[in-house]
Amino acid sequence: MKVGILILGLLFQSACLFAAESSDPVFEQLAKTKRFAFGGTGYGGTISQGEKDYCEILARRSALSDFERLLTSGNPQAQCYALVGIQALDPAKFEKLSAAYFKKRTEVSTIHGCMSGKEPMSRILKEIKAGEYKPSDPAFARLTQAKQFVFGERGEAPDISQEQKDYNEILARPTALKDFQRLLLFENPHAQCYALQGIQVLDPGKFEKLSLRYAKDERLVTIRSGCELDKEPMTRIIKEIKAGKYKPKEKAKP
């Protein structure tokens, strides 16, 4: 009897641990979002929490499967965010999955600027298909999906990468440190390297503290030097950031 109780206790504990490890607060929050919104909202023009959560999921390696899951488990507002993500990542799949929603009379709670209301999902889907919903901070959104970490000239032409331009744009903002800390939360190692580079420039003390969690991170980061592509473990990149190896070609204006 005691053995049976002990086994049940261990099974319950394992189930709790699995649930804790598999929880996804961002996903769960977006699945219950009360408004579908892109761009500034309210009198202060703030970015909605829904859009922030959408951008965080969009930057994941599992983004497409997460949006498909959100489409089946979220409320109407969440379904619209899911379809925006699917349309961005796989337009053909969007065409296939959205067909059933065009026929529904579901109303979606929306907010545009200071105006809130309800709109039929069919209308929103037409707008999604037309590409009307984009992240309101394109530089940040692009950097969350960076596929390389590069500073200086690239290729045969003496230009700099789009990623570096986006990094420079964020670095010049009054909110730069806060934005880089938010960028660090995304799972993309290239984005995290840009975030740590920015934090190191703006607050070396904070860099020392935040970079510790990546001290043994062996994820490979694609780097570019001129025309050459290579891969290095993130732990080595962090040492190079600390040593001041990466400097923007274009100096950000305060």
Side-chain angles (χ1 to χ4, degrees), residues 76-112:
Q77 293 75 234
Q79 290 174 331
C80 288
Y81 278 115
L83 287 165
V84 173
I86 293 168
Q87 199 271 342
L89 296 167
D90 190 336
K93 182 160 286 189
F94 167 81
E95 291 292 337
K96 181 180 178 181
L97 295 178
S98 65
Y101 294 88
F102 273 105
K103 302 175 183 178
K104 293 185 177 182
R105 297 182 178 180
T106 307
E107 287 195 326
V108 179
S109 296
T110 62
I111 182 167
H112 302 285

Side-chain angles (χ1 to χ4, degrees), residues 23 30 33 72 97 131 149 158 164 169 174 207 219 230 233 241 244:
S23 65
L30 189 56
T33 189
T72 59
L97 295 178
F149 179 67
Q164 186 178 327
E169 181 179 327
F207 167 82
R219 285 179 297 167
D230 200 359
I241 290 173

Side-chain angles (χ1 to χ4, degrees), residues 32-126:
K32 300 175 182 178
T33 189
K34 295 180 179 180
R35 301 283 188 207
F36 174 68
F38 274 88
T41 61
Y43 292 105
T46 57
I47 304 305
S48 68
Q49 187 60 51
E51 182 180 340
K52 292 177 182 177
D53 293 338
Y54 162 84
C55 287
E56 184 164 339
I57 293 175
L58 184 65
R60 298 176 178 178
R61 290 186 290 272
S62 60
L64 185 58
S65 62
D66 285 351
F67 283 131
E68 290 184 66
R69 185 161 55 97
L70 184 65
L71 186 60
T72 59
S73 62
N75 64 21
Q77 293 75 234
Q79 290 174 331
C80 288
Y81 278 115
L83 287 165
V84 173
I86 293 168
Q87 199 271 342
L89 296 167
D90 190 336
K93 182 160 286 189
F94 167 81
E95 291 292 337
K96 181 180 178 181
L97 295 178
S98 65
Y101 294 88
F102 273 105
K103 302 175 183 178
K104 293 185 177 182
R105 297 182 178 180
T106 307
E107 287 195 326
V108 179
S109 296
T110 62
I111 182 167
H112 302 285
C114 298
M115 304 295 294
S116 60
K118 290 184 179 293
E119 298 180 42
M121 183 177 281
S122 58
R123 182 193 301 168
I124 292 175
L125 288 179
K126 290 178 182 177

